[in-house]
Amino acid sequence: MTTPENFPGEPDASAELARKFGLADDEWERVLSTLSRKPSYAELGVISVMWSEHCSYKSSRVHLSRLPTEGPQVVQGPGENAGAVDIGDGFCAVFKMESHNHPSYIEPYQGAATGVGGILRDVFTMGARPVASLNSLRFGRPDHPKTPHLLKGVVAGIGGYGNCIGVPTVGGEVQFDASYDGNILVNAFTVGIAKTDELFFGRAEGIGNPIIYVGAKTGRDGIHGATMASAEFGEETDSKLPTVQVGDPFMEKLLLEACLEIFATGCLSGVQDMGAAGLTSSSVEMAARAGNGIELDLDAIPRRTRALSPYEMLLSESQERMLMVAKRGREHEVFDICAKWDLDVSIVGRVTSSGRFVCKATPGHDPFDDAPTEPDPVVVVDLPVDLLTDCAPKYDRPQEARPDAATLVTLTDDAPGNLGAEMLRLIGSPNIGSRSWIWRQYDHIVGDGTVVRPGDGDAAVIRVFCQDTDGTQEKFLAISADCNARHVELDPFLGAAMAVAECTRNVVCVGAKPLGLTDCLNFGNPEVPEQMWRFARAIDGLATACTALGAPVVSGNVSFYNETDGKSILPTPTVAVVGQLEDPAHRLGLGFLNEGDVIAHLGRPSRGVLGGSEWLVQTMGSITGAPVGIDLDAEAALQQAMLELAQRQLVRSAHDISDGGIAMCVAEACIANGHGARISLPAGGDAPAHALLFSEEPSRIVVSLPSGNVDEALLLCERLGVPFETLGEVAADTLAIEGVCDVAVEELAHAHAGALDAIVRD
């Protein structure tokens, strides 16, 4: 075995350098003990990125194992580039959600754009054609001086990349809170469609098979991006700009089409996109999954920058790149298709049986030189693959429960005098009002598949075209992303369970059955015991809800160290759910449709618990109150009832009660199509009117239906044990709530439409 060498001018590895690269002192000692030598400079870079939180999940793996990942509909669970669920007739939906938080705070346009590009590659690397994207965004206070710049930049980046590549962005969510002032969240989701028996996997199989680099040339952008994503922000945040990647959506479009064409030839035995940690992670992860080794010739890497060192080539996160393992003798098929699509392509290595990650390069070799040095490579990296994967650090970090939420300040009994004014204030606030300023910047109809557009329903509905030798079949998917971090802050277990329930509830409210879930778990520093407790409790909440609601977790992402100068974000375990409609005729929007239709409430009436509600935050200036809780058995029954009501076409609209309570739910249903409503609040015991209006207790849905369908709907709900209460009817042009208020729908719509104006106005 050859001892790897440093290139001229590279520093010797040391404990100090290891700390600079993000390794703890005991991890450095473990490296020395395992190798029985000092690593080379390039090896230290490789180990540091592969052992980073972003790549190794070293603080979360012990907890993630508790999530339910199996079910009859699961085609591919966690462990690959994306998960997949069966949608019938030999086809599957392939999807995943990823974070790009730190890069988006440093450079919002490119950070968000490359987040979209990365999640698209995760999906089409599996052999699936992307058909739709969502996003989940968090920003600081609306009046924070950085918020306008960050919001505008992120939205422009998402739109700029997604619109160019031709994949519709069909929805998402955005929230504002002071905890995100110094650390925004940008979570990107994509779903694609593939034939179930033609999925591709990230495995370096076949000893001697060539490893082929395809796509954009390598530069210095994004070096140590994975390490940066595994550290909290501080005073030096702005200096991290070089760790942000730069995206090219037009290159990605070429790469997408070329990859799908290459996959169709059957000439590959494995493929992986070069995402976080670039060439290193893609190579190592492929080798680990197959139980093989990989040898790379770094002299053959296509470059766009002079004098790249092995360390830089291995750690660069330049975008729009793929690593393919071709079947020996069929390399020319990859080259021919890449030439057609004008993509760089090069054989850069081979699969070995050694179980080691070996990289060679020639000192001083630079293809940009007028007379490049003749190749005479030396070994710069020689590491066991399992050292970088299965044997990476794995921690069960200390936990410390936060003081009981019951000790938090609660609301007094003082009620606001003018509840109509309160409704107008709330519906015009940034966390409740219209997101149309955002949606207008996304192409949400490209591809002719968007059936329920942003703002029209609780979830997006898309028509997907599944092609095989028998022709083209149309299938209909519903997708939604959600998390209310306020409730997670009050109780991580209950809040995380509520996130799953709300997301699956959104899907059934448009007439679809939930099939599977992906998550993006955004938390603070896992080395802080209270933060680790939040994470562990949230995992248990997710697991319990996913099991109860039949939505297994098939993919996901963990993003730790979301804090600045020791101040953490709200715990934000975002989830996205994919569901399927049996028939497009079952789809529902959120808006009231016909004058005279009956308005009804499904689920247990509110008890008037205001803990964690948006109204209470705006009133008290902080997240406070007792947790509202959730009964998952009642939630499961409610969702089954809603699904059957939609499938039997008994209701005309459905809207779940969530942010802002029943007041905002009914107001939004009025605004959608300009209809008014005359209703009474559901029976709520002795709770005051404002508490019943603005409570965000879960497991409740407001529907509208023809009067002739009420008896049948009631019987259906009674059979499933779901309370059904008529509230009133669709009527006139005001929202009239008996004994509470009477507000013109036009006033509500005007306030709603201007919710983001103060932030985005130039």
Side-chain angles (χ1 to χ4, degrees):
M1 187 183 304
T2 304
T3 301
E5 301 179 22
N6 283 349
F7 262 36
E10 291 181 334
D12 289 333
S14 64
E16 181 181 2
L17 186 60
R19 283 192 292 271
K20 181 180 178 182
F21 283 3
L23 293 179
D25 288 347
D26 61 335
E27 292 173 344
W28 166 247
E29 292 298 328
R30 181 174 169 182
V31 170
L32 296 180
S33 174
T34 302
L35 298 181
S36 298
R37 60 174 174 82
K38 279 188 175 183
S40 69
Y41 182 72
E43 285 180 324
L44 181 60
V46 165
I47 294 168
S48 69
V49 294
M50 293 306 297
W51 283 16
S52 70
E53 195 73 62
H54 194 75
C55 291
S56 73
Y57 286 43
K58 58 188 175 186
S59 299
S60 59
R61 296 203 317 267
V62 67
H63 300 289
L64 295 174
S65 62
R66 299 198 296 274
L67 293 172
T69 59
E70 298 179 350
Q73 71 273 41
V74 176
V75 174
Q76 176 63 53
E80 274 292 341
N81 289 291
V85 294
D86 181 49
I87 58 172
D89 301 308
F91 291 90
C92 61
V94 179
F95 58 96
K96 190 180 182 183
M97 184 160 51
E98 280 273 8
S99 62
H100 230 225
N101 304 335
H102 286 44
S104 298
Y105 182 78
I106 297 167
E107 208 299 295
Y109 184 95
Q110 289 296 347
T114 52
V116 173
I119 198 63
L120 286 165
R121 288 195 300 280
D122 279 340
V123 168
F124 73 74
T125 298
M126 297 286 292
R129 178 173 289 279
V131 293
S133 293
L134 298 174
N135 52 75
S136 175
L137 312 176
R138 297 292 185 276
F139 298 95
R141 290 164 292 164
D143 59 354
H144 189 279
K146 279 194 172 183
T147 297
H149 163 70
L150 292 169
L151 175 61
K152 292 176 183 178
V154 165
V155 170
I158 292 169
Y161 206 102
N163 296 354
C164 289
I165 201 170
V167 176
T169 301
V170 295
E173 57 154 6
V174 60
Q175 292 286 302
F176 301 86
D177 185 85
S179 71
Y180 307 107
D181 280 351
N183 196 129
I184 65 173
L185 302 184
V186 175
N187 296 172
F189 164 95
T190 290
V191 60
I193 301 300
K195 293 182 181 178
T196 302
D197 60 359
E198 294 182 4
L199 288 176
F200 280 78
F201 303 102
R203 299 170 188 168
E205 296 180 334
I207 306 304
N209 276 345
I211 297 170
I212 304 178
Y213 174 121
V214 173
K217 292 180 170 67
T218 295
R220 289 191 172 92
D221 48 318
I223 292 175
H224 263 298
T227 307
M228 179 269 289
S230 304
E232 63 183 77
F233 283 151
E235 294 180 358
E236 78 292 350
T237 297
D238 290 342
S239 69
K240 295 179 181 286
L241 186 59
T243 62
V244 177
Q245 309 91 330
V246 178
D248 181 348
F250 300 103
M251 175 66 75
E252 180 113 336
K253 176 62 174 175
L254 298 177
L255 184 63
L256 162 62
E257 299 300 338
C259 283
L260 294 180
E261 190 170 335
I262 291 168
F263 297 162
T265 68
C267 70
L268 299 184
S269 62
V271 60
Q272 177 89 7
D273 81 292
M274 294 190 226
L279 181 61
T280 290
S281 64
S282 56
S283 304
V284 168
E285 289 170 5
M286 291 179 80
R289 292 189 189 112
N292 289 324
I294 276 184
E295 183 175 300
L296 294 179
D297 174 13
L298 300 181
D299 291 346
I301 300 295
R303 315 176 195 190
R304 57 177 167 80
T305 304
R306 294 187 63 89
L308 283 176
S309 69
Y311 165 88
E312 291 171 324
M313 285 185 281
L314 287 167
L315 271 62
S316 169
E317 295 183 8
S318 294
Q319 298 290 284
E320 294 86 41
R321 302 180 300 161
M322 288 282 183
L323 205 62
M324 299 180 177
V325 179
K327 297 173 182 176
R328 193 162 32 179
R330 301 188 66 180
E331 304 92 319
H332 65 280
E333 296 176 56
V334 177
F335 276 71
D336 288 346
I337 293 171
C338 288
K340 169 185 172 182
W341 291 99
D342 197 24
L343 292 172
D344 278 289
V345 57
S346 176
I347 295 176
V348 296
R350 62 188 180 90
V351 180
T352 70
S353 60
S354 68
R356 302 187 72 82
F357 179 50
V358 178
C359 304
K360 299 179 179 180
T362 300
H365 176 74
D366 189 344
F368 290 103
D369 288 345
D370 292 336
T373 304
E374 285 298 317
D376 185 17
V378 299
V379 174
V380 294
V381 173
D382 188 349
L383 297 169
V385 168
D386 62 0
L387 172 69
L388 305 173
T389 53
D390 293 342
C391 296
K394 182 179 180 180
Y395 301 127
D396 189 355
R397 295 194 184 276
Q399 300 177 36
E400 181 179 320
R402 192 198 58 196
D404 191 339
T407 66
L408 297 176
V409 176
T410 56
L411 183 68
T412 69
D413 292 331
D414 295 336
N418 186 337
L419 289 174
E422 289 294 289
M423 289 184 63
L424 286 168
R425 177 174 68 90
L426 196 59
I427 205 161
S429 64
N431 277 344
I432 300 289
S434 172
R435 277 80 177 96
S436 60
W437 178 87
I438 297 174
W439 296 330
R440 285 198 302 266
Q441 298 181 62
Y442 302 153
D443 188 339
H444 51 263
I445 59 173
V446 63
D448 194 31
T450 307
V451 176
V452 175
R453 300 183 182 187
D456 290 345
D458 282 6
V461 176
I462 55 172
R463 175 176 59 237
V464 297
F465 305 97
C466 302
Q467 297 179 338
D468 57 19
T469 54
D470 296 327
T472 300
Q473 302 178 59
E474 291 185 357
K475 294 182 180 292
F476 292 81
L477 301 181
I479 52 178
S480 177
D482 230 309
C483 178
N484 189 320
R486 300 186 303 273
H487 294 291
V488 186
E489 172 68 11
L490 290 181
D491 188 309
F493 179 94
L494 293 173
M498 287 170 63
V500 174
E502 181 172 354
C503 210
T504 51
R505 196 184 319 126
N506 287 340
V507 166
V508 299
C509 278
V510 295
K513 179 181 179 179
L515 296 177
L517 177 147
T518 183
D519 57 48
C520 199
L521 310 178
N522 308 274
F523 286 80
N525 185 344
E527 299 167 59
V528 175
E530 187 176 314
Q531 294 295 338
M532 199 68 239
W533 171 79
R534 282 182 168 91
F535 179 80
R537 290 295 292 156
I539 288 289
D540 290 336
L542 292 174
T544 301
C546 287
T547 300
L549 301 175
V553 179
V554 300
S555 59
N557 168 246
V558 176
S559 176
F560 278 135
Y561 297 98
N562 288 290
E563 56 184 65
T564 302
D565 295 329
K567 182 179 179 182
S568 174
I569 63 164
L570 295 178
T572 313
T574 306
V575 297
V577 169
V578 173
Q580 185 174 10
L581 287 82
E582 289 184 355
D583 188 316
H586 299 162
R587 70 186 185 276
L588 296 168
L590 63 84
F592 297 142
L593 289 174
N594 294 333
E595 291 275 331
D597 277 354
V598 173
I599 299 170
H601 177 278
L602 309 183
R604 297 174 183 174
S606 168
R607 297 162 293 147
V609 180
L610 284 166
S613 66
E614 178 64 22
W615 182 83
L616 188 54
V617 169
Q618 291 191 26
T619 301
M620 301 291 289
S622 63
I623 297 170
T624 187
V628 298
I630 184 169
D631 180 336
L632 289 170
D633 290 335
E635 179 71 43
L638 173 71
Q639 293 192 18
Q640 181 60 37
M642 184 65 249
L643 190 58
E644 291 190 27
L645 288 169
Q647 291 172 343
R648 290 165 63 172
Q649 297 180 258
L650 293 175
V651 297
R652 287 197 171 114
S653 72
H655 192 16
D656 87 307
I657 298 173
S658 54
D659 292 351
I662 193 172
M664 297 301 99
C665 173
V666 177
E668 289 165 353
C670 289
I671 291 168
N673 297 310
H675 290 297
R678 289 196 298 263
I679 65 169
S680 300
L681 288 174
D686 297 329
H690 72 280
L692 297 177
L693 278 175
F694 304 124
S695 171
E696 295 175 4
E697 293 163 87
S699 309
R700 299 181 294 152
I701 298 171
V702 170
V703 299
S704 66
L705 67 167
S707 59
N709 292 353
V710 170
D711 289 345
E712 188 176 352
L714 174 61
L715 288 173
L716 186 157
C717 289
E718 286 179 343
R719 172 171 56 83
L720 293 169
V722 175
F724 178 101
E725 181 179 353
T726 58
L727 304 181
E729 65 177 1
V730 179
D733 55 5
T734 69
L735 171 53
I737 304 176
E738 184 179 1
V740 175
C741 64
D742 190 339
V743 184
V745 172
E746 186 177 354
E747 284 188 77
L748 291 167
H750 179 74
H752 185 252
L756 300 181
D757 286 355
I759 306 174
V760 301
R761 138 184 339 121
D762 291 324

